[in-house]
């Protein structure tokens, strides 16, 4: 079945710097790759997603890139702010389309 | 307000005492799912449902039951909880029955089994 690896597990940056989180997936049939942000004490919330027919997608300070050949996708956050501090999860839909398979998460800390 | 609600938010219980965690969504979503979140393991799917009376196992279903008698509700049942079920549980729902669309998560239920 699908397996998603996420790196790094923790990431500390200074306010204003960029942050990059990388994920690889195993099932070449996967076609949907969302990113979720989880703030302390809350459930995960979708921040951006990308489908396999697109190589890059951007939404203000957040961008996601997808390399289907290499089976990896990345989250890029520019001009980081303290409120970006959270746990970020990447995910890929399984082949049956019945579930999201999540990476283990990245704890991002943005210090001012 | 469109949301997924879970109850209770916190629960401490003892081994073997049956419990139910409720989940309800007000968005008329077809698909609902339960996940558990453990440190270093991320989110793992327990069970999912594509519609009323249609449920199926996820990756870690052992020790859990679910039911989907109404579209809006998807309770998680632990018939005989054990300490290894101590975890943070999330319910999620989405509009489409496929997994390739946004899932909306509830606030979580932190369960401790002594």
């Amino acid at each position: 079945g699908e397996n998603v690896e996420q790196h790094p597990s923790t990431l500390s940056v200074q306010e204003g710097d960029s942050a990059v989180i990388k994920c690889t997936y195993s099932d070449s049939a996967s076609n949907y790759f969302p990113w979720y942000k989880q703030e302390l004490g809350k459930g995960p919330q979708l921040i951006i997603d990308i489908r396999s027919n697109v190589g890059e997608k951007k939404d203000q300070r957040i961008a996601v890139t997808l390399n289907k050949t290499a089976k990896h996708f990345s989250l890029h956050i520019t001009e980081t702010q303290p409120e970006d501090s959270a746990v970020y999860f990447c995910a890929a839909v399984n082949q049956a389309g019945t579930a999201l398979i999540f990476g283990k998460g990245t704890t991002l800390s943005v210090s001012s | 307000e469109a949301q997924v609600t879970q109850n209770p938010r916190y629960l401490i219980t003892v081994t073997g005492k049956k419990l139910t965690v409720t989940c309800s969504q007000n968005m008329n979503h077809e698909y609902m799912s339960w996940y558990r979140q453990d440190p270093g393991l991320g989110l793992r799917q327990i069970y999912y449902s594509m519609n009323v009376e249609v449920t199926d196992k996820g990756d870690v279903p052992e020790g859990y039951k679910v039911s989907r008698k109404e579209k809006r509700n998807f309770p998680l049942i632990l018939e005989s909880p054990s300490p290894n079920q101590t975890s943070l549980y999330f319910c999620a729902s989405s509009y489409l029955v496929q997994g390739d669309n946004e899932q909306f998560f509830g606030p979580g239920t932190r369960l401790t089994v002594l």
Side-chain angles (χ1 to χ4, degrees):
Chain A
E2 176 68 280
N3 183 50
V4 177
E5 300 281 340
Q6 183 173 347
H7 298 281
S9 56
T10 60
L11 180 59
S12 296
V13 299
Q14 291 285 326
E15 183 176 1
D17 288 349
S18 294
V20 180
I21 303 170
K22 298 182 179 181
C23 289
T24 60
Y25 60 98
S26 60
D27 189 347
S28 57
S30 289
N31 61 5
Y32 176 67
F33 307 92
W35 285 89
Y36 282 81
K37 176 183 180 182
Q38 184 179 22
E39 297 177 335
L40 199 62
K42 296 184 179 180
Q45 187 171 12
L46 181 74
I47 55 171
I48 195 167
D49 57 12
I50 192 167
R51 297 184 186 275
S52 58
N53 58 348
V54 176
E56 184 175 358
K57 185 176 179 180
K58 192 173 182 180
D59 183 3
Q60 299 182 346
R61 297 186 297 109
I62 294 173
V64 57
T65 58
L66 171 64
N67 184 326
K68 284 219 72 179
T69 303
K71 291 190 284 187
H72 65 70
F73 55 113
S74 300
L75 178 71
H76 304 253
I77 306 174
T78 58
E79 301 171 23
T80 54
Q81 301 167 2
E83 51 265 39
D84 293 329
S85 296
V87 180
Y88 291 82
F89 291 98
C90 63
V93 68
N94 66 357
Q95 190 172 34
T98 55
L100 291 176
I101 308 302
F102 286 84
K104 290 180 170 50
T106 297
T107 301
L108 174 64
S109 300
V110 181
S111 54
S112 55
Chain B
E1 180 190 357
Q3 59 182 350
V4 178
T5 56
Q6 295 178 227
N7 282 292
R9 293 291 312 278
Y10 303 90
L11 180 60
I12 300 174
T13 190
V14 296
T15 298
K17 187 176 181 182
K18 181 179 179 179
L19 66 93
T20 299
V21 183
T22 64
C23 172
S24 183
Q25 51 92 5
N26 62 0
M27 296 169 279
N28 201 36
H29 284 171
E30 302 282 345
Y31 178 97
M32 297 186 74
S33 182
W34 276 102
Y35 296 88
R36 61 177 289 173
Q37 183 177 12
D38 301 290
L41 296 178
L43 290 144
R44 295 178 293 167
Q45 190 185 50
I46 303 170
Y47 268 94
Y48 66 95
S49 169
M50 290 192 168
N51 212 326
V52 175
E53 303 292 0
V54 180
T55 64
D56 211 341
K57 297 177 180 179
D59 290 330
V60 288
E62 295 77 21
Y64 305 94
K65 286 175 57 177
V66 293
S67 69
R68 187 95 181 270
K69 292 184 171 59
E70 305 165 283
K71 196 172 187 179
R72 63 184 294 131
N73 296 322
F74 191 44
L76 179 70
I77 303 154
L78 285 71
E79 294 269 4
S80 183
S82 62
N84 64 11
Q85 293 177 299
T86 293
S87 188
L88 179 59
Y89 291 87
F90 288 101
C91 180
S93 72
S94 66
Y95 178 63
L96 298 175
V97 296
Q98 294 87 354
D100 60 345
N101 64 104
E102 179 175 5
Q103 291 194 25
F104 294 82
F105 283 79
T109 295
R110 185 166 293 281
L111 172 65
T112 301
V113 183
L114 302 174

